[in-house]
Amino acid sequence: MKTRFFDPTRRELLAGLAAGLGTGLGASAAGLVASSAAPALTAQLSLQARPQTLALRPGQPATPIWELAAVSHLGSVRLKRGDRCEVVFRNDLPVPLAPAWYGLNGPATADPLRGRAPAPPGATETSIISVPSAGTLLADFRLFEDVLTRPARPLPVIAQEANAGAVDRDEVLLIEEWRLRPDGTALPPGQAPKDVTPLYTLNGQTSFELSAAAGERLRLRFINGSQRTVLAIKLENHDVRVMALDGQPAEPFPARNGALVLAPGGRADAIADAASSAPILLHDGKEAHRIGSLAVSGRLERRAPLLPPQPLPSNDLPDKLDLRGALRFDVALGAADAGWARCADFSRSSAPALRAKAGRTVVLALKNTGPVTTVFHLHGHHFRLLDKLDDGWKPYWLDTLAIEPGQTQRIAFAATSPGQWLIESVVTDWTAPRLVRWYAVE
């Protein structure tokens, strides 16, 4: 049977984000502690902020960019659930920077802007992160967009489960968005694009190829590393089963229309059994782009066929949330009079968006009163997306949510991580500033 060409409208794309695949996806700052009396270290990670180039134009000079790189690891950065990791960060870029961690919940005393000062140019700083949960994480410099003069690549980080089930390969697929000027230089997000060409890459390549044998079971960790655009990703002619969203396990379910819809910073872990060679398509709400391919050759022989994928091990988030006794707050996204500030203008003395006692359930009514889709990021916790009648929730956890113009979405989370945490709001427009507020769990 002929597969219908992957061509969702922007409304369908956003509807998929809010329904079957779950709207949100992306990011939670986190878990930095500096106590010398804590348990022994079990891992080390050396990070570097450095200049780099990327071949974005075939046959043309490479484009200068910046990146957050792991100089202590070859290939993907892989930690383990339960690790206590020493992070050595060196800033070899000309502006003050600090990495923000998305998806890494847990005890934290100082995340960027709230308490931890960025590292000056040329400085090296050491911190400790705890890794209480397994999942697909992301570290980047998006909280310092106001000082970036070049776009900066994020760093995927994998926190591995003790038992992740039967898969043959575990692959990270990082999608990134660029704005190229005629001279080949790239424009950072938050700046007005003029005479620029949008471009997408997969794992830093304009045409990425993933090789596999027929019958090989792949765990594909899709990450929307773009800074402003909601994206739909599709592996043509394959059954794709969602296993986790924003780093938290979900009850396995088929991707809606075979596509994964990700807000900026969103992550989705999926299982696919390689069947035949197929394109990897991306849709940005305007048009489809072929950004890669799955090249299948040969066959992986097995003694017995694989069983359907089983749920990933729980990260011990609560099974139930007390909605009846929840603290409730209205949050107007990006409203000028609602306490939001650009990252560069954020003040630690500003009033919090909310305060909650540890252990309470918190319900936020996120209101997008503007004319453009807005993305919300919650640091420090994952949340449930509530049903419209506020009588239940979607069967997955998120840390990021895209909300359409004029819409209100309600989310709920258990305030289990004491500390002072950021929330983010950014319009899905390249020129829009990233705005922040903070909340307290006491």
Side-chain angles (χ1 to χ4, degrees):
M1 182 173 66
K2 184 177 181 180
T3 302
R4 185 173 68 90
F5 184 70
F6 175 46
D7 188 22
T9 65
R10 185 173 183 82
R11 178 165 295 276
E12 288 174 336
L13 188 153
L14 292 169
L17 191 68
L21 199 297
T23 12
L25 305 87
S28 104
L32 284 159
V33 287
S35 169
S36 60
L41 297 172
T42 57
Q44 291 183 320
L45 179 60
S46 294
L47 302 180
Q48 183 183 20
R50 66 189 186 188
Q52 186 56 274
T53 60
L54 208 59
L56 298 176
R57 302 177 302 158
Q60 299 294 320
T63 297
I65 60 167
W66 290 348
E67 70 174 1
L68 175 60
V71 296
S72 58
H73 286 66
L74 294 176
S76 301
V77 176
R78 294 183 183 266
L79 305 175
K80 296 179 181 179
R81 181 183 181 185
D83 272 345
R84 189 168 182 271
C85 181
E86 180 183 65
V87 179
V88 179
F89 171 65
R90 177 169 178 81
N91 183 11
D92 286 325
L93 291 174
V95 297
L97 291 171
W101 295 81
Y102 292 84
L104 189 64
N105 300 337
T109 56
D111 67 318
L113 305 186
R114 272 303 313 160
R116 185 170 98 255
T124 298
E125 295 187 348
T126 300
S127 59
I128 306 297
I129 62 169
S130 58
V131 187
S133 299
T136 303
L137 316 175
L138 192 67
D140 71 8
F141 299 130
R142 70 182 62 190
L143 294 177
F144 298 91
E145 284 181 354
D146 291 325
V147 300
L148 298 181
T149 60
R150 289 178 178 166
R153 300 193 71 196
L155 176 69
V157 176
I158 307 306
Q160 295 180 305
E161 305 92 348
N163 181 11
V167 296
D168 298 304
R169 298 253 299 283
D170 187 330
E171 298 285 346
V172 175
L173 298 175
L174 174 66
I175 302 113
E176 294 174 273
E177 176 184 22
W178 310 91
R179 293 290 190 275
L180 292 186
R181 300 183 181 97
D183 63 0
T185 59
L187 186 74
Q191 298 187 18
K194 184 178 180 181
D195 298 327
V196 296
T197 301
L199 180 70
Y200 298 96
T201 57
L202 182 57
N203 288 356
Q205 301 178 35
T206 55
S207 183
F208 173 81
E209 182 177 280
L210 176 64
S211 299
E216 193 170 4
R217 175 160 289 182
L218 307 174
R219 179 173 180 172
L220 304 175
R221 300 177 186 259
F222 290 95
I223 301 174
N224 182 357
S226 75
Q227 300 297 321
R228 295 294 186 274
T229 303
V230 177
L231 300 174
I233 312 299
K234 185 173 185 179
L235 176 60
E236 283 276 65
N237 304 321
H238 281 75
D239 293 326
V240 176
R241 185 159 293 267
V242 179
M243 305 298 293
L245 293 171
D246 288 357
Q248 292 296 331
E251 187 69 27
F253 64 93
R256 189 180 187 186
N257 298 323
L260 304 166
V261 184
L262 301 177
R267 292 92 64 206
D269 292 24
I271 295 290
D273 293 338
S276 60
S277 296
I280 301 174
L281 301 177
L282 172 151
H283 206 292
D284 57 11
K286 299 177 182 177
E287 60 181 320
H289 307 263
R290 179 170 174 157
I291 60 169
S293 61
L294 173 66
V296 175
S297 60
R299 174 163 290 280
L300 186 65
E301 298 298 334
R302 300 185 187 278
R303 293 183 178 180
L306 288 173
L307 298 175
Q310 299 302 302
L312 295 172
S314 170
N315 279 331
D316 299 325
L317 291 177
D319 293 329
K320 300 290 184 181
L321 294 173
D322 178 18
L323 297 183
R324 295 182 64 182
L327 297 173
R328 295 177 179 268
F329 301 92
D330 290 343
V331 178
L333 299 180
D337 58 348
W340 294 95
R342 294 181 70 119
C343 294
D345 299 327
F346 176 78
S347 171
R348 282 180 282 177
S349 63
S350 60
L354 62 103
R355 292 184 182 272
K357 294 293 185 182
R360 291 297 299 272
T361 296
V362 177
V363 172
L364 302 182
L366 306 175
K367 300 181 178 181
N368 181 10
T369 59
V372 182
T373 296
T374 298
V375 177
F376 169 84
H377 294 269
L378 181 74
H379 292 247
H381 297 83
H382 280 75
F383 57 81
R384 295 284 201 184
L385 177 62
L386 299 184
D387 295 330
K388 292 295 185 181
L389 297 178
D390 202 9
D391 59 353
W393 48 74
K394 305 300 182 188
Y396 40 74
W397 295 90
L398 305 170
D399 59 28
T400 306
L401 192 65
I403 303 168
E404 291 189 73
Q407 297 295 308
T408 296
Q409 295 280 5
R410 289 176 173 80
I411 65 172
F413 65 94
T416 56
S417 298
Q420 297 179 345
W421 301 97
L422 294 174
I423 58 176
E424 300 180 37
S425 173
V426 64
V427 172
T428 53
D429 184 301
W430 193 264
T431 65
R434 187 174 299 276
L435 304 176
V436 291
R437 297 184 70 184
W438 67 281
Y439 71 101
V441 177
E442 302 165 331

